Amino acid sequence: MQLLPYKQQVYLQQLIAEGEHQQQDFKFEISDARKIARSLSAFSNTDGGRLLIGVKDNGRIAGVRSEEEIYMIEAAAKLYCRPNVEISVQTYEVDGKTVLVAEIPKAEQKPVQVQDETGKYLAYVRIADENILATPVHLAVWRQKNSAQGTLVKYTEREQLLLDYLAEHQEITVSKYSRLAHISYRLAIEYIARFVRFGILDICFERHRFCYRLRGNE
């Protein structure tokens, strides 16, 4: 989509007016392809989104410095993300300044992981205007969804214990459930992930920590 100069300016101003949120992030510049890859991972693993590159956090248009930044975001998508992220990048000219708008689709198969400086692959999720490292529960949910095998739904005392606890309390953490049910941390992750997968529990992030609530409980 190629817009006329005036329409480009109006379109960008509309996007900037939205501010940063779960599906939009501003980047003043791209100086590290790995850091941009974290944003690509987070958007891909959540609801998709867009990056406005050449825009400061306060919404002021600064413009990108060179075409090298286009190369760096493509490198982030192809070299540092697994699987590769198929992004689309459009350039917009406003008052002599170039802004890149990169659209990132929601991944059909998750997780999209990022290779860090040590070579380890990590996955991120987008929560409000932040990129947060995915938890073991996120990873377990994605692994279960990707499994070719069906899941037999059978409630045990441990699973009923989880539901009974949440009926009386607002939330629970993996550690709390592990202690309550006298099971390993790893097994607690699998139980909670199964309930998340089936839409019984929601993953919540508050006070810089993850917890789990019955769906519909605020």
Side-chain angles (χ1 to χ4, degrees):
M1 177 180 66
Q2 188 61 44
L3 301 176
L4 296 173
Y6 171 73
K7 290 188 176 181
Q8 288 189 17
Q9 184 169 346
V10 171
Y11 175 65
L12 279 175
Q13 287 174 341
Q14 289 174 340
L15 293 182
I16 291 170
E18 294 179 12
E20 294 180 304
H21 52 73
Q22 184 154 311
Q23 291 183 278
Q24 181 165 282
D25 201 4
F26 300 157
K27 295 295 181 184
F28 168 56
E29 63 180 358
I30 300 179
S31 57
D32 187 333
R34 290 183 193 273
K35 289 183 179 179
I36 290 297
R38 293 174 193 165
S39 293
L40 303 184
S41 168
F43 282 130
S44 297
N45 289 329
T46 312
D47 296 315
R50 73 178 69 88
L51 287 173
L52 274 61
I53 303 157
V55 178
K56 294 186 175 182
D57 288 342
N58 62 8
R60 185 164 127 353
I61 295 176
V64 296
R65 294 175 301 175
S66 69
E67 292 185 0
E68 183 179 350
E69 298 196 52
I70 298 178
Y71 167 76
M72 290 185 73
I73 190 170
E74 290 176 347
K78 303 297 184 185
L79 298 180
Y80 297 122
C81 289
R82 185 180 69 180
N84 295 346
V85 177
E86 296 298 328
I87 61 172
S88 62
V89 181
Q90 295 286 337
T91 60
Y92 296 90
E93 299 293 333
V94 178
D95 297 330
K97 297 175 181 177
T98 301
V99 174
L100 306 180
V101 177
E103 298 281 352
I104 302 99
K106 180 179 179 179
E108 294 184 5
Q109 185 166 346
K110 305 170 185 178
V112 172
Q113 298 176 302
V114 178
Q115 187 181 39
D116 69 9
E117 294 78 3
T118 67
K120 184 178 180 180
Y121 280 90
L122 303 171
Y124 293 82
V125 291
R126 182 80 174 173
I127 299 175
D129 60 352
E130 295 184 81
N131 301 326
I132 308 291
L133 188 66
T135 67
V137 171
H138 286 102
L139 298 176
V141 169
W142 295 329
R143 184 179 67 253
Q144 290 175 12
K145 286 182 177 179
N146 293 336
S147 173
Q149 297 179 349
T151 301
L152 178 63
V153 181
K154 183 175 68 173
Y155 279 9
T156 66
E157 289 184 5
R158 291 168 177 169
E159 289 158 313
Q160 191 60 52
L161 180 66
L162 174 60
L163 296 178
D164 290 343
Y165 180 88
L166 286 172
E168 296 184 17
H169 302 81
Q170 186 177 24
E171 62 189 39
I172 197 168
T173 62
V174 174
S175 296
K176 176 68 177 178
Y177 178 48
S178 174
R179 294 193 300 271
L180 194 67
H182 303 292
I183 57 177
S184 69
Y185 190 84
R186 182 174 180 180
L187 189 56
I189 288 170
E190 293 298 323
Y191 279 129
I192 289 176
R194 193 176 305 160
F195 279 133
V196 170
R197 180 187 169 196
F198 293 144
I200 299 170
L201 298 185
D202 284 326
I203 301 176
C204 303
F205 184 74
E206 293 181 356
R207 302 183 298 276
H208 305 288
R209 71 183 181 96
F210 283 97
C211 62
Y212 307 90
R213 296 176 179 171
L214 287 173
R215 177 154 293 185
N217 281 8
E218 299 296 334

